[in-house]
Amino acid sequence: MSDAAIGQPVLLDAAPTHLIISVKETRGRRGAAPARASRDLTDTIKLSQARRGDRGVIIQVGAHCHHQVEAVELERRLLELGFVEGARIELLHEGLFGRDPIAMKVDDMRVALRRHEAASLTIKLDVV
Amino acid sequence: MDMALKTARVALVGNPNSGKTALFNALTGAHQKVANYAGVTVERKEGLIRAASGRTLSVLDLPGTYSLRARSPDEEVTRDAVLGRLAGETPPDVVVCVADATNLRLVLRLILELKAVGRPMVLALNMYDIAQRQGLRIDLEQLRAELGVPIITTVATRKRGIDDLVAAIETQAEAAAQNENSWRSPDAAELRTAAREAERIMKVCVRPPERPDTLTGRIDSVLLHPVGGMIILMAILFVMFQAVFSWAAPLMDGIEGGIGWLGGLVAEVIPDGLLQSLIVDGIISGVGSVLVFLPQILILFLFIIALEDFGYMARAAFLMDKIMGGAGLHGRAFIPLLSSFACAIPGVMAARVIDSKRDRMTTILVAPLMTCSARIPVYTLIIAAFIPNETVWGFANLQGLVMFGLYAAGIVSALVVSLLIRKVFWRGAVEPFMMELPAYKTPDMRSVLFNLWLRAKIFLNRAGRIILPLVILLWVLATFPYPPENATMPDIDYSFAGMIGRALEPIFAPIGFNWQMVIALIPGMAAREVAVAALGTTYAIADAENATGLLASTLSAQWSLATALSFLAWYIFAPQCVATLGVVKRETNSWKWTWIMIVYMFGLAYLASFATYHVAVALGGG
Ligand SMILES: Nc1nc2c(ncn2[C@@H]2O[C@H](COP(=O)(O)OP(=O)(O)OP(=O)(O)O)[C@@H](O)[C@H]2O)c(=O)[nH]1
Ligand SMILES: [Mg+2]
């Protein structure tokens, strides 16, 4: 079961944005690379950037959000559907167009989500 | 009155797809719809049972929800029932929380919320058969102690644990204290706290399964494969429409033969005259021409029911999501639209699962464009009369292919219209899409067959209650008044029906409809398949001397190909179903939207028929 402590949300507001951008670039080439080049840079990502096969633990729900008005509501919906800090995530399937939506295992439940909403979840990938 | 005999009101509450309706059916003997996806039940249903003690229990089946903090109309139904918010209603005496034993985490949080409501509670741990098969170990004593709620294990589909559940409900109704309702909408921090508490209870009481369900994962890796999954979805639809034609053919021939034989028999027994005409031309030709389609409709439902029970619907929604989103439809619109393949009425109602009002409106407005089963008789009749029964590309039946095309036309037009609605009436962000993907289940043969039988009953019922009276009325209109002495045209031309048809013909002439078609469209407003019955009656009367009894062959002799195609195009769009319009009025609670729908659908129907007719004539089909 989940070995990560179910703790307070880890706030990432201080994280510089270029960090996320570099994540994207690294991940683009990932298929060819045998392992992640710089793990310390890439192990914390938005769920919307995750790819098929990625596993990890949710460390933050509802920080970043496209739905300004609905931000609070979306966060509560996600929490009610089991997306809470500490839950284990494994990305199982991606859609055909733009790899969207995504289907994942959240603890022991299967859930589908659009990447748009997945952007409000931050996950820490397992150290491989 | 004796306390022990006071009726106890019981509400079934729980996460979507946990088996509430299956349990409701097991308790009350009802036949409400059960299927393997979230959001099947969207309204409250009440049933009465008599417990062994003689007490009456009034059981309420409710839509599934993850919390009482309702957002969509179906969740509001549940919230209002649990909190007793409806006018003249008190909260239920006992809340039965129905949980999927294999998926407890979310329902544990819901239970914590339900406890705040303060009603006596019972926890039904449903799907216990699956939990046992997986070797899932739940410490029931511990869970009971943690939650402070009696627990009954149940297998709703096998009616196991039902007596124990009723007994526990009764005990709770009598003994358990009712507390003040302290529920209020939780904020995010409270949700996190509750989720943590649920996680703690999980750790203490539930040991992970020894034989977890790996089958669902393996099936998904095929069915949700980005490319393969799409191909399989298309293949399933393709096979479905091919089957509607090829499997049904022998059965339809049998029914057709039976009806022809019956007509002949009646014509021999009853002397020539009005009565014979009423029975043979009116009732047998009219109702019979619709009854022929029973096998096709059952085959379609066989596919739909099997896919629903298997758990494929949520997968199809996943695969189609990007396309639907591109057309501006809400992610959860897929299941309402898919339900509309059976009938637009449950489809429009299923739109209740969509939380945003605008997205719900869009879905309701386009749902009737999906090809409902009542269109099958119309489509099949025309296809059988005008499309050769050939094999193309070595494997596909041409008639089935045209049918597939008509379904595709319905789907594509629904997508285009919803895109336009979004552009014209409202722009703005697309609502979130979040959906549970249920574990696959083997459909139970007995319940599939039973559901098919229910569908057959509904179809026959409609034939008796709607089609029969309308056909008799049409027969009267088409028979009287009698033609004058020196009539040169067929008798029917002088009847009321002939007059009405001729009066309206100019409106429909530009799209290639003759007056017989026009009078079929009028009773056809009641329901789409009525038009087939009406054509059957009209042509039987008009052509009483050399009627072959087979409507399709009469039509192929009387209509041009262009007219036939135009008629098909009309039926893709025209809102020829008062029941659907009634449900749209009820669900949108607005005459304005109902009228918008009527106008746009008739408008599209006319335009599409006009274009089809003229293109077909230009290509030599006139
Ligand atoms: N094996 C097994 N399957 C069950 C049991 N109870 C229900 N099911 C199946 O679970 C699925 C969901 O059942 P429903 O009764 O429709 O669930 P619901 O809670 O009413 O769902 P919503 O109305 O969508 O909230 C169906 O496929 C049922 O056949 C059970 O005890 N054992
Ligand atoms: Mg239900």
Side-chain angles (χ1 to χ4, degrees), chain B residues 120-412:
Chain B
M121 240 203 314
V122 177
L123 172 58
L125 263 193
N126 194 36
M127 311 218 188
Y128 207 64
D129 54 335
I130 306 180
Q132 281 177 324
R133 202 184 321 138
Q134 293 182 357
L136 184 71
R137 295 260 288 281
I138 304 173
D139 186 340
L140 295 176
E141 259 321 300
Q142 182 74 30
L143 190 59
R144 208 200 109 83
E146 290 281 354
L147 296 173
V149 168
I151 299 175
I152 308 292
T153 58
T154 59
V155 183
T157 43
R158 299 250 171 285
K159 292 193 164 56
R160 289 219 299 264
I162 301 302
D163 294 341
D164 293 344
L165 182 62
V166 172
I169 292 171
E170 279 208 277
T171 317
Q172 287 295 83
E174 268 162 36
Q178 309 194 346
N179 298 322
E180 271 307 297
N181 176 3
S182 62
W183 182 85
R184 56 186 182 78
S185 177
D187 63 21
E190 287 165 325
L191 285 172
R192 285 194 169 87
T193 314
R196 227 169 294 146
E197 171 67 2
E199 178 68 35
R200 185 190 65 76
I201 299 176
M202 274 297 276
K203 281 232 175 75
V204 180
C205 304
V206 183
R207 250 197 285 146
E210 291 157 13
R211 299 174 292 279
D213 167 29
T214 56
L215 190 66
T216 296
R218 277 181 285 151
I219 298 177
D220 267 347
S221 61
V222 178
L223 294 185
L224 290 186
H225 185 275
V227 180
M230 256 341 197
I231 295 174
I232 292 172
L233 175 60
M234 291 302 137
I236 289 174
L237 291 179
F238 181 79
V239 170
M240 187 158 112
F241 301 130
Q242 290 283 316
V244 162
F245 267 86
S246 25
W247 299 3
L251 290 167
M252 289 176 70
D253 290 346
I255 298 181
E256 210 156 52
I259 291 168
W261 172 83
L262 188 68
L265 188 74
V266 172
E268 261 175 39
V269 175
I270 301 178
D272 261 9
L274 270 186
L275 186 64
Q276 191 204 60
S277 166
L278 171 64
I279 295 179
V280 178
D281 300 337
I283 298 174
I284 296 182
S285 298
V287 178
S289 54
V290 173
L291 285 185
V292 170
F293 297 99
L294 181 62
Q296 288 196 322
I297 285 172
L298 290 186
I299 288 172
L300 179 78
F301 275 104
L302 177 65
F303 275 86
I304 293 181
I305 293 170
L307 290 175
E308 281 181 347
D309 285 358
F310 180 51
Y312 188 69
M313 290 314 216
R315 272 72 187 185
F318 178 86
L319 293 170
M320 291 299 290
D321 178 63
K322 197 73 183 178
I323 297 172
M324 310 260 306
L329 278 165
H330 189 280
R332 297 197 70 178
F334 183 80
I335 288 172
L337 293 186
L338 205 66
S339 311
S340 303
F341 276 146
C343 173
I345 293 168
V348 167
M349 292 197 48
R352 287 186 182 189
V353 301
I354 298 171
D355 39 9
S356 133
K357 178 146 186 264
R358 294 171 161 194
D359 290 325
R360 190 163 60 249
M361 287 294 182
T362 314
T363 309
I364 290 175
L365 285 178
V366 302
L369 288 174
M370 307 304 282
T371 305
C372 66
S373 59
R375 282 180 177 95
I376 289 184
V378 181
Y379 286 177
T380 313
L381 175 69
I382 306 298
I383 289 175
F386 291 91
I387 308 293
N389 188 6
E390 289 173 356
T391 303
V392 287
W393 309 324
F395 67 97
N397 174 291
L398 185 62
Q399 294 185 332
L401 220 54
V402 172
M403 193 75 164
F404 186 73
L406 288 166
Y407 273 84
I411 297 168
V412 169

Side-chain angles (χ1 to χ4, degrees), chain B residues 7-11 44 46 57-58 60 81 89-95:
Chain B
T7 302
R9 297 174 52 250
V10 183
R44 47 188 283 157
E46 202 167 344
L57 301 183
S58 153
L60 202 56
E89 211 182 70
T90 50
D93 297 311
V94 180
V95 170

Side-chain angles (χ1 to χ4, degrees), chain B residues 17 19-22 32-35 39-42 61-64:
Chain B
N17 211 39
K20 297 174 294 300
T21 305
Q32 293 302 319
K33 179 168 171 177
V34 168
V40 179
T41 308
V42 293
D61 182 28
L62 293 168

Side-chain angles (χ1 to χ4, degrees), chain A residues 76-77 80 85 110 112 114, chain B residues 69 186 192 321 435 437:
Chain A
R76 291 200 278 183
R77 286 251 134 173
E80 283 164 359
E85 286 83 4
R110 278 159 220 278
R114 285 185 185 154
Chain B
R69 211 175 49 78
R192 285 194 169 87
D321 178 63
M435 186 180 58
L437 299 172

Side-chain angles (χ1 to χ4, degrees), chain A residues 6 61 70 73-77 80-81 85 96 100 102 107-114 117, chain B residues 66-67 69 71 75 103 105-106 186 192 196 199 318 321-322 331 430-435 437:
Chain A
I6 306 156
V61 182
E70 301 268 298
E73 176 55 33
L74 178 67
E75 177 182 4
R76 291 200 278 183
R77 286 251 134 173
E80 283 164 359
L81 208 60
E85 286 83 4
L96 174 60
D100 194 28
I102 48 178
D107 284 328
D108 29 35
M109 209 175 108
R110 278 159 220 278
V111 184
L113 210 62
R114 285 185 185 154
E117 278 76 48
Chain B
Y66 294 104
S67 85
R69 211 175 49 78
R71 278 255 305 179
E75 293 173 353
N103 192 358
R105 197 176 317 254
L106 300 188
R192 285 194 169 87
R196 227 169 294 146
E199 178 68 35
F318 178 86
D321 178 63
K322 197 73 183 178
V430 176
E431 282 284 308
F433 166 68
M434 304 175 197
M435 186 180 58
L437 299 172

